[in-house]
Amino acid sequence: MHPSVNDLVAAARGRINEISPEQAEALRVGGAVLVDVREPFEYSSGHLPDAVNLPRGVLEFQIHAHPAMACVPAEVLSQPERTLVLYCLTGGRSALAADSLRQLGFSQVHSLAGGFNAWRNAGLPTTTD
């Protein structure tokens, strides 16, 4: 029998660092890069302030080359110890994405538990800019 998507997400959650909305906000204020792994149409309907949209489907290919991150010195982007906070709508896609980046050598990658919904429910700021 093959694992379900829920099984894959649960396994990923066992290997990654999930954080609360409040912890994510503290990391954001401290300079972490927020990465929205949702699709562009989801991102445009509302996202976390200063978040970069790198959809889950292309994340591994674009993590170092995304134009929105070009304003950061390239040497910083090439450092896998850079603090990243990934999120999606409910936390499943970001858990899988965080696990993938962990496998690629990123040591400071976090997934927002509960995703955008949890962030919004915590009363934290969102934007459509």
Side-chain angles (χ1 to χ4, degrees), residues 77-125:
L77 284 177
S78 67
Q79 297 173 2
E81 63 275 1
R82 181 169 180 84
T83 302
L84 303 174
V85 176
L86 280 57
Y87 73 93
C88 60
L89 185 62
T90 61
R93 285 177 284 179
S94 61
L96 294 171
D99 191 38
S100 183
L101 291 183
R102 179 194 60 79
Q103 292 175 58
L104 289 172
F106 285 80
S107 61
Q108 296 299 315
V109 61
H110 310 278
S111 178
L112 174 57
F116 184 75
N117 285 345
W119 178 276
R120 191 176 41 212
N121 290 340
L124 294 166

Side-chain angles (χ1 to χ4, degrees), residues 6 8 25 38 43 45 68 70 78 87-88 92-93 109 120 127:
N6 289 339
L8 294 176
E25 172 65 353
R38 298 176 300 160
Y43 177 84
S45 69
S78 67
Y87 73 93
C88 60
R93 285 177 284 179
V109 61
R120 191 176 41 212
T127 185

Side-chain angles (χ1 to χ4, degrees), residues 52-76:
V52 174
N53 185 217
L54 286 173
R56 172 73 193 102
V58 296
L59 177 71
E60 295 85 352
F61 298 103
Q62 291 189 351
I63 189 67
H64 294 294
H66 195 279
M69 296 178 87
C71 62
V72 180
E75 110 183 22
V76 174

Side-chain angles (χ1 to χ4, degrees), residues 2-14 90 92 95-96:
H2 297 286
S4 70
V5 171
N6 289 339
D7 294 333
L8 294 176
V9 170
R13 285 186 168 134
T90 61
L96 294 171

